[in-house]
Amino acid sequence: MKATIITIGDEILIGQIVDTNSVSIAKHLNAAGIVVREKISIGDDRTQIIETAERALAGSEVTVITGGLGPTKDDITKKTLAEMFRSDMRYDERVAGHVEKMLAERGIEFNELNRSQAMVPACCTVLFNAHGTAPGMWFERDGHVVVSLPGVPFEMEHLMEDEVMPRLKTRFALRQIVHRTMITAGLPESMLAKRIEAWENALPPYLKLAYLPNPGAVRLRLSAYEVEGESVAREIESRFEALRRIIPHNIIGFETATMQEVVHKILTERSLTLATAESCTGGSIAARFTAMPGASTYFLCGVVSYSNESKAELLGVDPADIARYGAVSEQVARQMAEGVRRTAGADYGMATTGIAGPSGGSAEKPVGTVWIAVATPRETVAILKQCGTDRGQIIDRASAFAIGLLRDCLNGN
């Protein structure tokens, strides 16, 4: 089973909004065993809508369209689809009553534009939108299905869950798609591929491996298409268990697992405490921990010591060392980690100091240079990392590397 997703709206094409609808729709379809062959974004243009929808119908059994279903003149999707399917429009009393009731609750007058929401193509099955005024629509032609949904994300989401997916599962005999993703850290993509080359070569042909790098992590996804779910799921688990024996120290977990969740679990279970001192990462590390429920049991404080003065006054860094070695140096990183550990009375202190750019770099210390340190009850460990050239990328990578170093220190590696 193949599907095409079409998002409609000039606001998407000009970058005014981010298209999250196609991501959500793809997840729903994939989970049901429907492979998304393409995602297309187009403007509010009649000809473009017809040409794109016709092309999707020719190549996919299912086409899902979102956007362009509002009450204003620039929302043309409904009329265009009626034209495409050679259908007259009809007035749907249930939709009209629902729209009028919703507007009355908000103190909005039910005018002609709102009334037009109840006009739908006569050939479609109306998908009742309990959370908005624009109904969804279900069309069929030659065994293929076209679904049109509102562009408002939470309205689209409810219609996908409550109306579209149950109908698709009834309409088609779907076979399962199985995905399982292992999260690894500590090995760049190329080194990881080399380390697990023999394991990868031994995979059966129906299992497809994808490398998905993220800042500080590489996700390994095994996928099987149109299969019997339970037996393949067991095979995937067996393959990943074999991989665990090859790279035992580099596995964080599965699916959406993060390094900070691993550290969160260790600190909580061992009743240990943590404090952070950040310069170039600007509080990103502290934010990652405090975003998790239960962080208050171990996270004592976070200091953003951006200036040299704050490093000295708040953390006890020796100004002579800053002058001699520079703020971005192993000596300063170590003193920052030790200082925040001492000041907060924490079991562990961690620190970052670096050059996030775009200016401030030099031949000796280019943009992206970051020193990271972790002070433990036994010792202080410091590492030097080159975290890229883009400011946002540098902050993300440095934060991930720092949390990874803390994990290693907690595990005695």
Side-chain angles (χ1 to χ4, degrees), residues 1 32 34 138 140 145 162-174:
M1 286 286 295
I34 301 173
W138 175 289
E140 294 199 26
V145 170
D162 301 339
E163 297 284 348
V164 178
M165 295 315 302
R167 291 173 186 271
L168 287 176
K169 291 173 183 177
T170 300
R171 176 67 179 77
F172 298 104
L174 301 176

Side-chain angles (χ1 to χ4, degrees), residues 182 184-197 200 211 217-220 243 246-247 250:
M182 174 178 276
T184 73
L187 286 172
E189 185 179 3
S190 59
M191 291 178 63
L192 176 64
K194 191 66 178 174
R195 183 79 64 86
I196 68 173
E197 184 176 11
E200 182 178 355
Y211 291 81
V218 178
R219 295 178 294 155
L220 298 174
L243 183 59
I246 300 171
I247 50 170
N250 300 104

Side-chain angles (χ1 to χ4, degrees), residues 315-363:
L315 303 172
V317 177
D318 188 345
D321 285 339
I322 295 177
R324 182 178 179 184
Y325 302 108
V328 180
S329 62
E330 178 179 1
Q331 292 80 3
V332 170
R334 285 176 174 273
Q335 291 179 52
M336 288 173 65
E338 292 164 357
V340 78
R341 176 177 180 267
R342 180 178 60 252
T343 300
D347 295 304
Y348 286 77
M350 60 191 304
T352 58
T353 178
I355 304 168
S359 61
S362 66

Side-chain angles (χ1 to χ4, degrees), residues 36-322:
V36 177
R37 61 186 290 267
E38 61 180 343
K39 297 193 289 186
I40 308 167
S41 293
I42 60 175
D44 296 291
D45 178 84
R46 169 193 164 276
T47 301
Q48 211 176 8
I49 292 172
I50 292 175
E51 289 178 352
T52 306
E54 290 286 7
R55 181 162 65 87
L57 269 166
S60 299
E61 291 88 351
V62 178
T63 300
V64 182
I65 302 170
T66 68
L69 295 181
T72 54
K73 291 181 180 179
D74 64 331
D75 291 306
I76 62 173
T77 302
K78 182 166 55 179
K79 291 181 180 179
T80 303
L81 290 175
E83 178 186 344
M84 175 179 154
F85 284 94
R86 294 181 172 83
S87 175
D88 295 328
M89 302 292 284
R90 68 176 179 84
Y91 190 72
D92 190 294
E93 293 289 350
R94 185 187 182 196
V95 173
H98 172 66
V99 173
E100 188 169 8
K101 180 174 180 292
M102 282 193 74
L103 295 177
E105 290 172 351
R106 302 175 191 171
I108 302 173
E109 178 188 358
F110 184 63
N111 57 30
E112 287 304 312
L113 283 176
N114 303 130
R115 196 181 306 276
S116 70
Q117 294 285 72
M119 296 297 296
V120 297
C123 69
C124 82
T125 299
V126 174
L127 306 179
F128 182 68
N129 181 4
H131 301 273
T133 60
M137 296 171 289
W138 175 289
F139 302 86
E140 294 199 26
R141 181 202 286 174
D142 301 327
H144 292 220
V145 170
V146 175
V147 178
S148 178
L149 302 175
V152 180
F154 77 90
E155 294 181 27
M156 175 280 302
E157 186 68 30
H158 281 290
L159 281 168
M160 282 297 295
E161 290 182 0
D162 301 339
E163 297 284 348
V164 178
M165 295 315 302
R167 291 173 186 271
L168 287 176
K169 291 173 183 177
T170 300
R171 176 67 179 77
F172 298 104
L174 301 176
R175 298 195 72 191
Q176 195 170 359
I177 298 173
V178 179
H179 296 297
R180 183 75 159 139
T181 304
M182 174 178 276
I183 316 298
T184 73
L187 286 172
E189 185 179 3
S190 59
M191 291 178 63
L192 176 64
K194 191 66 178 174
R195 183 79 64 86
I196 68 173
E197 184 176 11
W199 174 87
E200 182 178 355
N201 290 339
L203 291 172
Y206 59 84
L207 289 182
K208 307 300 181 184
L209 176 66
Y211 291 81
L212 308 167
N214 276 356
V218 178
R219 295 178 294 155
L220 298 174
R221 188 188 67 216
L222 282 177
S223 302
Y225 296 87
E226 297 189 355
V227 293
E228 297 301 325
E230 285 191 20
S231 61
V232 170
R234 287 194 297 270
E235 176 66 18
I236 289 175
E237 291 301 326
S238 173
R239 296 288 170 169
F240 274 143
E241 189 57 38
L243 183 59
R244 188 183 294 278
R245 293 191 289 271
I246 300 171
I247 50 170
H249 301 300
N250 300 104
I251 295 172
I252 297 174
F254 291 91
E255 308 313 327
T256 60
T258 63
M259 186 66 82
Q260 56 263 31
E261 289 173 345
V262 173
V263 173
H264 171 98
K265 186 172 185 289
I266 294 172
L267 292 171
T268 302
E269 290 178 348
R270 299 181 189 175
S271 299
L272 298 171
T273 54
L274 171 68
T276 59
E278 302 180 61
S279 184
C280 62
T281 51
S284 175
I285 296 170
R288 294 187 187 200
F289 283 113
T290 57
M292 293 181 286
S296 59
T297 60
Y298 62 84
F299 192 85
L300 301 187
C301 79
V303 176
V304 178
S305 52
Y306 219 61
S307 68
N308 290 342
E309 291 76 15
S310 66
K311 290 177 176 65
E313 293 174 8
L314 299 178
L315 303 172
V317 177
D318 188 345
D321 285 339
I322 295 177

